[in-house]
Amino acid sequence: MTTMSESLLRLLFLSLLLLCCVSPSSLSPIYINVTYPIVDGVACPPHQIQAFTQFKNEFDTRHCNHSDDLNGAWCDNSTGAITKLRLRDCLSGTLKPTSSLFGFHQLRWLDLSENNFTFSSLPSKFGNLNKLQVLILYSNGFLGHVPSSFSNLSLLSVLNLSYNMLSGRFPLVRNLSKLTVLDLSNNHFSGTLTPNSSLFELHHLRYLNLESNNFSSSLPSEFGNLNKLAFLSLSSNGLLGQVPLTISNLTWLTHLVLGQNMFTGSFPPVQNLTKLSVLELSYNNFSGPIPSSLLSMPFLSHLDLKENHLTVSFEVPNSSTSSKLVSLFLANNHFEGNILEPISKLINLKELDLSFLSSSYPIDLSLFSSLKFLAFLDLSGNNIYPASLSSDSHIPWTLEMLTLKHCSISEFPNILKTLKKLEYIDLSDNRIKGKIPEWLWSLPRLSTLNVANNSFNGFEGSSEVLVSSAVQQLEMDSNNFEGVLPNLPLSISIFFADYNSFRGEIPLSICNRSSLTALDLSYNNFTGPIPQCLSKLEIVELRKNNLNGSIPDVFYVGASLLTLDVGYNRLTGKLPRSLLNCSSLKFLSVDNNRIEDTFPFWLKASPNLQVLILSSNKFHGPISPPHQGPLGFPELRIFEISDNKFTGSLPPSYFVNWKLSMNQDGALYMAYEKNPYGIITYTYVDSIDLQYKGLSMEDQRILTSYSAIDFSGNRLEGQIPESIGLLKALIALNLSNNAFTGHIPLSLANLKELESLDLSGNQLSGTIPNGLRSLSFLAYINMSHNQLKGEIPQGPQITGQPKSSFEENAGLCGLPLEESCFGSNVPPTQQPEEEEEEKEEEQVLNWKAVAIGYGSGVLFGLAVAQLIA
Ligand SMILES: *[C@@H]1O[C@H](CO)[C@@H](O)[C@H](O)[C@H]1NC(C)=O
Ligand SMILES: *[C@@H]1O[C@H](CO)[C@@H](O)[C@H](O)[C@H]1NC(C)=O
Ligand SMILES: *[C@@H]1O[C@H](CO)[C@@H](O)[C@H](O)[C@H]1NC(C)=O
Ligand SMILES: *[C@@H]1O[C@H](CO)[C@@H](O)[C@H](O)[C@H]1NC(C)=O
Ligand SMILES: *[C@@H]1O[C@H](CO)[C@@H](O)[C@H](O)[C@H]1NC(C)=O
Ligand SMILES: *[C@@H]1O[C@H](CO)[C@@H](O)[C@H](O)[C@H]1NC(C)=O
Ligand SMILES: *[C@@H]1O[C@H](CO)[C@@H](O)[C@H](O)[C@H]1NC(C)=O
Ligand SMILES: *[C@@H]1O[C@H](CO)[C@@H](O)[C@H](O)[C@H]1NC(C)=O
Ligand SMILES: *[C@@H]1O[C@H](CO)[C@@H](O)[C@H](O)[C@H]1NC(C)=O
Ligand SMILES: *[C@@H]1O[C@H](CO)[C@@H](O)[C@H](O)[C@H]1NC(C)=O
Ligand SMILES: *[C@@H]1O[C@H](CO)[C@@H](O)[C@H](O)[C@H]1NC(C)=O
């Protein structure tokens, strides 16, 4: 038992994940040859201008740019009918079937993209516009199916429906035999691509984009019929199987984009596609060798094969054919033999990603010295030949981004000194010791530096050494930095220094870093007060330090604070009332301090608050609002107020109106996009480790649809409101060690996601609701120390609990207790004492084992275990 409760010590952990997706492909612009039919027109006669204005007035046109001469209507020079109409990025409202638009029968060109037709469906009246050659409706928020009347548009040459929310399957293009451009990307289209699909009758198609939909099937060999295609993208769907051989019929292809599907089999037969300039097969399950001939394809400039099971074993390309490759991405494949030699001949390379190639021998960086244009290099996850990182080694001085994450590097790579164009350096996850060299800060363009997860202990030079550097984002978390914090670069915007041993006060110089938006100093040994100026930031993480004083009460109206975590310090005083001004606040955690206050009902006005953690302080007084109604806080997902001195009872409607009564998405995050190229996306995700007893934590749960409530260790009394059963997304509920009375609410049986339920140490009476039997994810339950009686519901999740979960009650019987419900003659369950003890420990770690080990639960337990596995 002791082992169990120790391993279950409630531990709350909060961190700021930084997902940094470097996708440099946009460095090289990609040219797509699409020709649109030409529809000329002249200025329209007055009655047509009037008709056009009437159409516009069906909508809210406040966003229209009336001086934009690209928008408007054009008319046929002989008949005077409107033939071309373009209104982009301005209309707001519903496109109704009665719209006067569908009276413009002579329209040949219609562009209504980027309007706000949110929640409109595509009216079938579009079928009336059967002269249309060009129809552009992307980014309009259209919902539902494409009406079958579209097959009336038999002259259509260009159809762009991308970036809507359209659904349904082919044949939405039946009869559109003149189509040359079809863009259905970024919708919810689904179903299989069958051989008889109308798609394969589109013999004139030059551009086909089905990217980011839900198509799921193998590719029929009929793709080979589309032999005029120059652009084909099927990426980000659920497509599988082998790419058919007939793909080699598509000899006009310049772009073949099949990434992010589940394709298998050997490398697609692309050798004969001699016009190919972009080949993108990333994130699939292709296997076998990569054909060497790729490197000598005459126009291939962009080759992305990352995240497959391919074997990279290039031969030196024939020197007479110099490769055009500009981008080469091979990450996460296997490499055999010496591939670096041939790669060093690809002299036009600008972007090279060789990360995580499983290979045993180290990479010699100087082999890349011949790549005179190289700007982006990612060698993460490989061994690097140490001497090639020294300052007398040669790597191209053109490098702008260098990623050497997880390369077992143990000394600072002095070679960086020569790379004056570097903007981005990632050295995280290595074993570098000692101090960060002074010269690093004078790299003139350096804006992002990541040295997290190393063994650095300080900075060379004075405490001012960073100040004049150009660095905007500095990540140095999880190192051995000690002493006081150096003065940060004037340009700093994001600073992570958590998990170090910094001490002293948080320097006030931070207050004149006007670009600073995110600061993480958690898990250090900072002392003294929280500087007032931190109220200007978006993310403030100061967890687990020795800060004292009170939280500054200086949040001004319009403050952009999203996350404030000051847990585990020595803070006193009250919660600052000015937090009320932070209307974006999503995450507030002040646990394990000495804050003395009443419950912050006033925060109810923070419409976005998702996490409120007040545990282990000196809060007191009632937690139900004076008017005895619902608590409010509609977005709250994590609500933890344990170990305070809260009192009073919860009115019946207490949990009404919480959004978490619905399973909904909505991770707590914000994204930054900022970079000279616009190519690095920073996404912060607040995540929280909910260590309730029995909760199975594969990893940190990002706060999406989960929620948890912990009221334990207070002085709450009265009944547990039935409205608790409304919180359908609840995975953990802890009401233990209070003074709740009355019955256990029957509605608990509605909490189908519940994994952890603790009602122990109260004065609950009556029986345990039988409905709890059906909670199939329940891994931990504790009803001990109450006044419950009657039969324990005999479900596999419940009977598999240790006896202690039901001990000290007024008269419970049935498994797991030894007391039988059928009189005292029935012998107690025959479990040897030792084995029982063992299982008690196991159930915490792995409830599957328990379900298997206990009598009647066997079959059901197994089935559920497989479902959630
Ligand atoms: C673009 O496509 C058209 C039509 O197929 C063709 O005539 C033209 O040569 C192509 N242009 C380029 C630059 O490839
Ligand atoms: C409106 O359009 C004109 C012409 O295209 C452009 O110069 C101007 O910047 C636009 N104004 C706005 C507010 O978008
Ligand atoms: C109308 O336009 C066509 C083609 O642009 C031109 O040939 C014709 O002369 C024009 N007719 C008149 C009446 O302007
Ligand atoms: C789009 O329209 C809807 C209702 O028609 C409106 O609520 C929303 O604010 C509009 N959005 C924009 C960006 O104009
Ligand atoms: C097809 O177009 C014709 C002519 O405009 C029209 O009469 C007919 O209703 C349209 N059919 C559909 C299904 O929209
Ligand atoms: C298909 O297009 C032809 C004209 O090419 C048209 O006459 C016919 O009505 C269309 N069929 C359908 C089902 O709309
Ligand atoms: C369709 O519209 C999207 C969104 O603007 C654009 O990215 C795409 O290039 C368009 N497709 C074609 C073929 O023009
Ligand atoms: C197309 O073929 C599938 C089977 O591959 C069949 O179920 C479907 O009915 C066919 N559709 C048409 C329109 O022939
Ligand atoms: C397409 O390719 C297949 C096999 O590669 C071949 O049999 C067929 O004739 C080709 N079709 C066309 C239209 O070229
Ligand atoms: C490529 O072309 C050659 C010669 O035209 C032909 O023999 C070979 O079968 C083709 N390969 C593929 C995969 O289609
Ligand atoms: C933190 O600082 C306090 C006071 O300066 C000191 O007693 C304590 O040992 C330090 N803790 C750590 C982990 O360095």
Side-chain angles (χ1 to χ4, degrees):
M1 276 311 295
T2 349
T3 334
M4 184 171 86
S5 27
E6 273 172 18
S7 71
L8 289 174
L9 266 181
R10 194 180 162 293
L11 205 132
L12 185 90
F13 178 76
L14 172 121
S15 88
L16 195 65
L17 290 189
L18 180 88
L19 310 179
C20 172
C21 328
V22 181
S23 61
S25 50
S26 52
L27 269 178
S28 359
I30 292 164
Y31 172 77
I32 302 170
N33 181 9
V34 185
T35 36
Y36 280 33
I38 293 166
V39 174
D40 278 334
V42 295
C44 292
H47 71 283
Q48 295 292 29
I49 291 174
Q50 203 183 346
F52 174 64
T53 307
Q54 190 195 328
F55 166 63
K56 276 207 289 192
N57 289 342
E58 291 169 19
F59 304 92
D60 177 352
T61 58
R62 273 174 296 182
H63 290 110
C64 293
N65 180 351
H66 296 286
S67 60
D68 181 355
D69 50 6
L70 288 172
N71 281 334
W74 291 264
C75 286
D76 187 278
N77 65 357
S78 47
T79 65
I82 297 185
T83 52
K84 181 171 177 176
L85 197 159
R86 189 181 138 125
L87 275 172
R88 271 192 182 194
D89 192 14
C90 91
L91 305 177
S92 200
T94 311
L95 182 61
K96 299 196 182 78
T98 52
S99 168
S100 62
L101 175 71
F102 304 113
F104 300 140
H105 292 285
Q106 301 303 318
L107 268 182
R108 290 194 283 143
W109 179 304
L110 177 60
D111 182 351
L112 294 177
S113 49
E114 298 183 84
N115 287 300
N116 180 8
F117 298 145
T118 313
F119 307 125
S120 300
S121 51
L122 283 172
S124 71
K125 287 280 181 156
F126 269 106
N128 283 0
L129 306 179
N130 63 357
K131 300 270 181 2
L132 276 177
Q133 290 171 270
V134 174
L135 180 54
I136 304 177
L137 298 175
Y138 66 79
S139 300
N140 276 317
F142 282 124
L143 280 174
H145 290 211
V146 176
S148 62
S149 66
F150 264 54
S151 55
N152 221 10
L153 309 182
S154 57
L155 301 179
L156 212 53
S157 169
V158 172
L159 179 58
N160 193 345
L161 299 177
S162 63
Y163 296 96
N164 283 290
M165 293 177 276
L166 295 166
S167 54
R169 323 169 157 235
F170 283 108
L172 54 100
V173 291
R174 183 171 291 148
N175 215 21
L176 306 187
S177 60
K178 293 207 159 60
L179 272 187
T180 60
V181 171
L182 178 58
D183 193 341
L184 303 179
S185 62
N186 294 284
N187 278 288
H188 306 310
F189 290 113
S190 60
T192 52
L193 302 168
T194 55
N196 58 7
S197 164
S198 51
L199 175 63
F200 303 116
E201 291 157 21
L202 305 178
H203 296 287
H204 298 286
L205 221 47
R206 291 184 39 75
Y207 179 104
L208 176 61
N209 193 347
L210 304 181
E211 216 167 287
S212 299
N213 278 287
N214 301 325
F215 291 112
S216 55
S217 66
S218 53
L219 298 187
S221 61
E222 280 69 13
F223 262 97
N225 295 354
L226 305 177
N227 60 7
K228 299 245 171 49
L229 277 181
F231 178 101
L232 175 59
S233 175
L234 304 174
S235 68
S236 301
N237 278 285
L239 299 168
L240 38 86
Q242 305 218 7
V243 175
L245 280 180
T246 53
I247 202 99
S248 64
N249 281 5
L250 311 183
T251 52
W252 288 97
L253 273 185
T254 61
H255 292 68
L256 180 57
V257 183
L258 303 178
Q260 304 198 48
N261 281 290
M262 296 178 282
F263 288 117
T264 49
S266 53
F267 205 87
V270 297
Q271 294 93 314
N272 285 359
L273 308 182
T274 52
K275 295 192 165 56
L276 218 48
S277 106
V278 173
L279 179 58
E280 215 269 73
L281 305 178
S282 62
Y283 298 97
N284 278 292
N285 294 318
F286 289 113
S287 55
I290 299 175
S292 270
S293 56
L294 279 182
L295 295 190
S296 42
M297 288 181 78
F299 300 108
L300 196 61
S301 69
H302 180 106
L303 181 58
D304 186 354
L305 308 177
K306 65 174 172 276
E307 309 276 347
N308 277 288
H309 308 294
L310 294 161
T311 307
V312 189
S313 59
F314 293 132
E315 281 153 32
V316 183
N318 185 340
S319 52
S320 62
T321 57
S322 82
S323 162
K324 296 277 197 308
L325 268 186
V326 169
S327 312
L328 180 59
F329 299 109
L330 298 174
N332 271 300
N333 284 288
H334 315 283
F335 88 86
E336 259 176 24
N338 183 0
I339 62 156
L340 299 182
E341 182 80 28
I343 285 175
S344 68
K345 302 266 158 54
L346 304 173
I347 55 162
N348 290 308
L349 278 182
K350 279 189 182 151
E351 302 151 17
L352 180 58
D353 180 357
L354 297 177
S355 57
F356 298 97
L357 293 182
S358 48
S359 152
S360 48
Y361 59 91
I363 292 183
D364 183 349
L365 275 174
S366 57
L367 270 173
F368 300 119
S369 58
S370 53
L371 306 178
K372 302 286 184 226
F373 303 106
L374 201 62
F376 171 88
L377 180 61
D378 189 346
L379 297 175
S380 300
N382 298 305
N383 281 326
I384 312 278
Y385 183 51
S388 73
L389 290 169
S390 68
S391 52
D392 47 2
S393 178
H394 291 285
I395 60 174
W397 59 272
T398 45
L399 273 181
E400 296 167 20
M401 302 175 72
L402 179 61
T403 305
L404 298 172
K405 189 187 170 82
H406 201 73
C407 290
S408 311
I409 301 174
S410 56
E411 298 209 357
F412 201 88
N414 284 325
I415 193 167
L416 301 182
K417 207 175 199 170
T418 58
L419 304 176
K420 302 290 187 213
K421 292 187 132 188
L422 273 180
E423 298 175 13
Y424 177 101
I425 303 174
D426 186 348
L427 297 174
S428 61
D429 278 330
N430 282 296
R431 306 191 211 116
I432 313 175
K433 292 190 281 283
K435 296 186 169 9
I436 295 193
E438 187 168 355
W439 53 260
L440 187 66
W441 308 106
S442 52
L443 288 176
R445 299 198 184 168
L446 190 62
S447 74
T448 299
L449 177 65
N450 186 347
V451 295
N453 260 309
N454 278 288
S455 305
F456 287 110
N457 60 10
F459 301 86
E460 264 179 16
S462 76
S463 63
E464 299 296 312
V465 65
L466 279 61
V467 172
S468 54
S469 130
V471 170
Q472 296 171 17
Q473 168 152 0
L474 181 52
E475 289 165 59
M476 40 191 277
D477 45 294
S478 305
N479 275 287
N480 303 328
F481 287 103
E482 52 192 20
V484 296
L485 201 64
N487 285 330
L488 297 180
L490 292 172
S491 48
I492 194 79
S493 147
I494 294 167
F495 182 59
F496 295 163
D498 45 312
Y499 292 97
N500 280 294
S501 305
F502 283 115
R503 57 187 159 74
E505 299 204 352
I506 299 174
L508 286 176
S509 64
I510 246 174
C511 292
N512 54 21
R513 300 297 181 266
S514 58
S515 308
L516 192 63
T517 57
L519 179 69
D520 191 344
L521 303 178
S522 306
Y523 300 89
N524 278 288
N525 203 359
F526 286 105
T527 49
I530 299 175
Q532 306 233 333
C533 64
L534 296 189
S535 59
K536 292 184 300 188
L537 307 193
E538 291 177 4
I539 298 210
V540 179
E541 302 264 3
L542 302 173
R543 195 173 189 77
K544 286 244 184 188
N545 280 289
N546 278 314
L547 300 168
N548 57 26
S550 55
I551 306 171
D553 195 2
V554 289
F555 297 93
Y556 53 91
V557 179
S560 45
L561 191 72
L562 292 170
T563 295
L564 178 64
D565 185 356
V566 295
Y568 286 93
N569 279 290
R570 291 193 249 151
L571 301 171
T572 51
K574 290 178 187 278
L575 278 184
R577 297 302 187 264
S578 62
L579 275 173
L580 203 51
N581 290 329
C582 304
S583 58
S584 310
L585 188 65
K586 288 188 164 180
F587 195 115
L588 178 61
S589 175
V590 301
D591 59 306
N592 289 282
N593 280 292
R594 296 161 194 175
I595 296 172
E596 224 175 317
D597 202 346
T598 54
F599 186 83
F601 296 109
W602 45 270
L603 259 181
K604 192 163 64 178
S606 275
N608 298 304
L609 197 67
Q610 297 187 3
V611 177
L612 179 59
I613 303 178
L614 308 177
S615 301
S616 300
N617 276 290
K618 296 180 182 167
F619 284 97
H620 53 86
I623 61 165
S624 48
H627 56 81
Q628 290 290 302
L631 176 63
F633 293 96
E635 300 290 337
L636 213 51
R637 293 158 186 278
I638 311 289
F639 187 21
E640 304 190 340
I641 56 171
S642 63
D643 299 313
N644 279 292
K645 290 174 185 154
F646 285 120
T647 52
S649 59
L650 309 178
S653 61
Y654 194 71
F655 297 104
V656 170
N657 290 339
W658 283 19
K659 280 240 185 87
L660 61 83
S661 54
M662 297 171 287
N663 281 341
Q664 53 164 8
D665 261 359
L668 194 50
Y669 71 91
M670 63 168 180
Y672 272 85
E673 281 178 66
K674 62 172 197 66
N675 182 274
Y677 309 120
I679 59 176
I680 301 176
T681 307
Y682 305 100
T683 307
Y684 294 107
V685 181
D686 277 321
S687 72
I688 189 168
D689 202 349
L690 298 174
Q691 297 221 342
Y692 288 75
K693 293 179 187 176
L695 226 57
S696 64
M697 298 296 307
E698 308 87 75
D699 46 15
Q700 290 177 357
R701 281 180 202 232
I702 290 173
L703 301 170
T704 52
S705 48
Y706 298 107
S707 58
I709 289 178
D710 188 353
F711 288 0
S712 65
N714 281 289
R715 298 169 187 172
L716 303 173
E717 59 192 24
Q719 305 230 358
I720 301 172
E722 283 283 344
S723 60
I724 189 87
L726 294 172
L727 308 184
K728 299 249 162 56
L730 213 56
I731 55 167
L733 176 62
N734 188 351
L735 303 179
S736 66
N737 297 315
N738 278 289
F740 285 112
T741 53
H743 292 214
I744 296 175
L746 295 174
S747 66
L748 279 185
N750 296 339
L751 303 180
K752 301 291 184 210
E753 309 287 329
L754 208 59
E755 294 174 33
S756 178
L757 174 62
D758 194 345
L759 303 179
S760 64
N762 282 290
Q763 291 150 38
L764 298 167
S765 56
T767 57
I768 301 177
N770 211 22
L772 295 189
R773 270 190 332 177
S774 64
L775 299 183
S776 51
F777 295 114
L778 205 54
Y780 177 84
I781 179 170
N782 194 347
M783 301 282 184
S784 64
H785 297 273
N786 277 293
Q787 284 145 34
L788 299 165
K789 57 183 189 228
E791 188 180 20
I792 297 170
Q794 298 292 294
Q797 260 62 268
I798 294 176
T799 57
Q801 298 292 323
K803 281 183 298 185
S804 55
S805 286
F806 297 94
E807 279 169 357
E808 302 289 334
N809 272 291
L812 285 174
C813 63
L815 289 174
L817 295 182
E818 281 159 18
E819 290 79 9
S820 160
C821 299
F822 306 105
S824 53
N825 291 338
V826 185
T829 26
Q830 293 160 7
Q831 295 278 3
E833 202 55 29
E834 284 171 29
E835 218 179 290
E836 184 115 342
E837 289 273 294
E838 253 173 51
K839 283 186 178 114
E840 284 180 9
E841 281 172 25
E842 271 172 22
Q843 74 83 241
V844 178
L845 304 170
N846 184 348
W847 72 268
K848 284 181 228 174
V850 173
I852 294 161
Y854 282 78
S856 64
V858 174
L859 284 177
F860 184 60
L862 272 174
V864 175
Q866 273 159 11
L867 268 179
I868 64 165

